[in-house]
Every structure is written in structure tokens, then in C-alpha cells.
Amino acid sequence: MRSDEALELWNSLKLLSMEDKESILEALENYFGKQLELSFRNLSRMDREEFQIIQSVVNGLILTQKYIPDIQLAYEEVKNKKLPSTISFGCISQEKKEKN
């Protein structure tokens, strides 16, 4: 494992709360069936496949937290607007396009 990749993952782990780290560690230990220690040293010595799985999990959690929508704000923006109440599939004819 290259140390620059391990350092990047280690820095990503620092962005997470202790609760998130514990949750990830528990899930990964269940997945791998062994006890893990997410330290820079262990990450830099880990085999490629395990490292990539851990990296994907950590990056996925960070992306989810970073881009989670604010549901209340989204609702406030559309609560007084008339939203479509029907769904249809297929092509829209030119006549229907002109009416709208």
C-alpha cells in the first residue's frame, strides 16, 4: 500500500465524529470477520482489497453527510406551489406542448 493513499484516508477519517468512526469500525469488523485498528500505520500496511473497501465506506459516508438534502428547507420552497398531480409516460405530442 502506498503511504500517500493511506495518509489521504487517514485525513478523511479525521473528518468523522467519534460516533461515525465507531460505527464504521464495527461494520467493517463484522464484514471482515476480524478486529481492525484504523491507524495510519495499519492503513499503510493493509492489503489493497481491504484498503479499497475501507476507503469506499469512509468516502461514501463523508459524501452522504456533505450532500444530504435539507428536507425542511426543500419543503418550505415548494409548499405553496402547485405541483403536478399526475404522472404519465411516453412522448408528449406537439399539441400538448403548446397548451402548456
Side-chain angles (χ1 to χ4, degrees):
M1 179 59 48
R2 294 178 32 197
S3 62
D4 56 334
E5 290 176 307
L7 181 60
E8 184 179 333
L9 180 55
W10 179 245
N11 288 331
S12 294
L13 280 164
K14 289 180 185 179
L15 298 173
L16 300 175
S17 69
M18 186 58 74
E19 183 181 331
D20 288 337
K21 288 178 196 174
E22 289 171 359
S23 177
I24 285 176
L25 187 58
E26 182 181 342
L28 289 170
E29 286 177 345
N30 287 334
Y31 179 79
F32 290 122
K34 63 182 180 180
Q35 191 170 1
L36 296 173
E37 183 184 335
L38 298 178
S39 66
F40 174 72
R41 182 178 181 188
N42 287 350
L43 291 171
S44 61
R45 294 179 175 185
M46 200 169 277
D47 79 5
R48 178 63 116 184
E49 185 178 332
E50 285 183 359
F51 180 85
Q52 287 178 332
I53 291 169
I54 293 169
Q55 186 178 41
S56 295
V57 169
V58 170
N59 289 338
L61 180 61
I62 290 170
L63 282 172
T64 299
Q65 290 176 340
K66 194 173 185 178
Y67 296 106
I68 191 163
D70 184 343
I71 299 299
Q72 290 177 329
L73 178 62
Y75 173 75
E76 288 298 321
E77 290 176 356
V78 297
K79 75 178 182 181
N80 295 322
K81 293 183 181 178
K82 184 174 180 347
L83 299 175
S85 60
T86 60
I87 298 174
S88 59
F89 298 92
C91 297
I92 299 175
S93 68
Q94 189 62 32
E95 289 177 20
K96 287 184 181 179
K97 284 182 186 179
E98 290 171 359
K99 287 181 183 179
N100 295 330

